[in-house]
Amino acid sequence: MESKVVQIHCDKSLEIVLNVIPGHFATSHSHVNYYIDMTGIKHHCQIARQAAEFMAQKYVNSVAVDTIVCMDGCEVIGAFLAEELSKSGISSMNEGTDIKIITPEYPNGRLVLRDNVQNMVRNKNILLLVASATTGETIRRSLECIHYYGGRVAGVSAIFSAIPEIGNVAINSIFTSKNLPNYSTYSVSECPYCKNGQKIDAIINSYGYSKI
């Protein structure tokens, strides 16, 4: 499977690279025809910093941010994003702000914030950061969590998104499905690969893959 890797470079920063593998993959919500490997962007310090600098451009001069809620293992990018947003500069909305970075827990499949971090969301401006959005289910659940705990959604950012928005909330992403020719996502019942008897190559999520 690894022999099929194709590198996709960000248009504005060639060092931000997605490694993608074509095939038949199953997520928790759908089947897709690409596995998108974000390991380098999420876990390599210099690349994560560049990704954060790219994301910050959408907000630095126009959006107040108190807390960044990180999903899918995006805490490293989240920390650099907080640093970038709080830098001093002309028209900076968050200069000197001590931006908080938190991640919800998942007991019993539900997103939960413990009492000691709830005050970082309640009545705060929240930037949601996710690795990827295919069907939008992770973002939908995360937004419900933020609203439940009294937060105000200031924006949503992703490394990759196949959808431009969810509800009335725009998803600002580094890569979109336009960067991946013929990228497709299917419900399990409508997956053409399954209908043709093609076996699943791997079960995937934003943390990685497990071959079958």
Side-chain angles (χ1 to χ4, degrees):
M1 190 171 91
E2 290 80 359
S3 62
K4 298 179 182 179
V5 170
V6 177
Q7 289 193 329
I8 307 295
H9 293 265
C10 173
D11 296 337
K12 296 184 179 180
S13 179
L14 295 180
E15 294 187 31
I16 304 177
V17 178
L18 283 183
N19 291 321
V20 302
I21 301 174
H24 180 199
F25 303 100
T27 76
S28 58
H29 309 302
S30 63
H31 285 195
V32 294
N33 61 340
Y34 280 101
Y35 165 62
I36 302 172
D37 184 4
M38 304 181 189
T39 304
I41 298 176
K42 292 196 293 183
H43 301 295
H44 290 206
C45 178
Q46 294 302 322
I47 304 175
R49 183 187 294 276
Q50 290 181 36
E53 290 173 355
F54 184 95
M55 290 176 174
Q57 295 172 16
K58 294 286 186 179
Y59 309 104
V60 66
N61 296 326
S62 59
V63 178
V65 177
D66 299 304
T67 300
I68 300 174
V69 172
C70 297
M71 307 297 293
D72 307 329
C74 286
E75 288 82 359
V76 176
I77 298 175
F80 284 130
L81 180 55
E83 180 181 68
E84 195 68 23
L85 290 174
S86 60
K87 284 182 178 179
S88 60
I90 299 173
S91 302
S92 175
M93 291 287 291
N94 302 282
E95 181 177 348
T97 302
D98 184 16
I99 297 174
K100 279 71 70 178
I101 300 138
I102 62 173
T103 299
E105 294 183 51
Y106 297 82
N108 302 316
R110 298 182 63 184
L111 298 181
V112 173
L113 295 176
R114 299 296 179 182
D115 292 0
N116 54 302
V117 296
Q118 289 179 15
N119 64 344
M120 299 181 187
V121 171
R122 189 178 299 111
N123 297 321
K124 305 297 187 193
N125 299 311
I126 310 300
L127 176 57
L128 175 64
L129 175 59
V130 302
S132 64
T134 52
T135 64
E137 180 63 20
T138 296
I139 293 177
R140 184 189 64 77
R141 293 174 61 212
S142 300
L143 294 178
E144 288 178 352
C145 175
I146 292 168
H147 289 141
Y148 178 81
Y149 289 104
R152 298 183 294 267
V153 177
V156 177
S157 281
I159 300 172
F160 169 81
S161 181
I163 53 178
E165 62 181 23
I166 182 166
N168 295 320
V169 181
I171 302 171
N172 299 307
S173 62
I174 301 174
F175 299 92
T176 72
S177 54
K178 293 180 180 179
N179 297 108
L180 301 180
N182 303 315
Y183 176 87
S184 298
T185 178
Y186 311 97
S187 65
V188 176
S189 62
E190 296 298 324
C191 176
Y193 299 102
C194 291
K195 290 181 178 180
N196 291 333
Q198 181 176 333
K199 293 183 177 180
I200 294 172
D201 295 303
I203 296 173
I204 64 173
N205 61 21
S206 57
Y207 294 95
Y209 65 89
S210 296
K211 294 180 182 178
I212 295 180

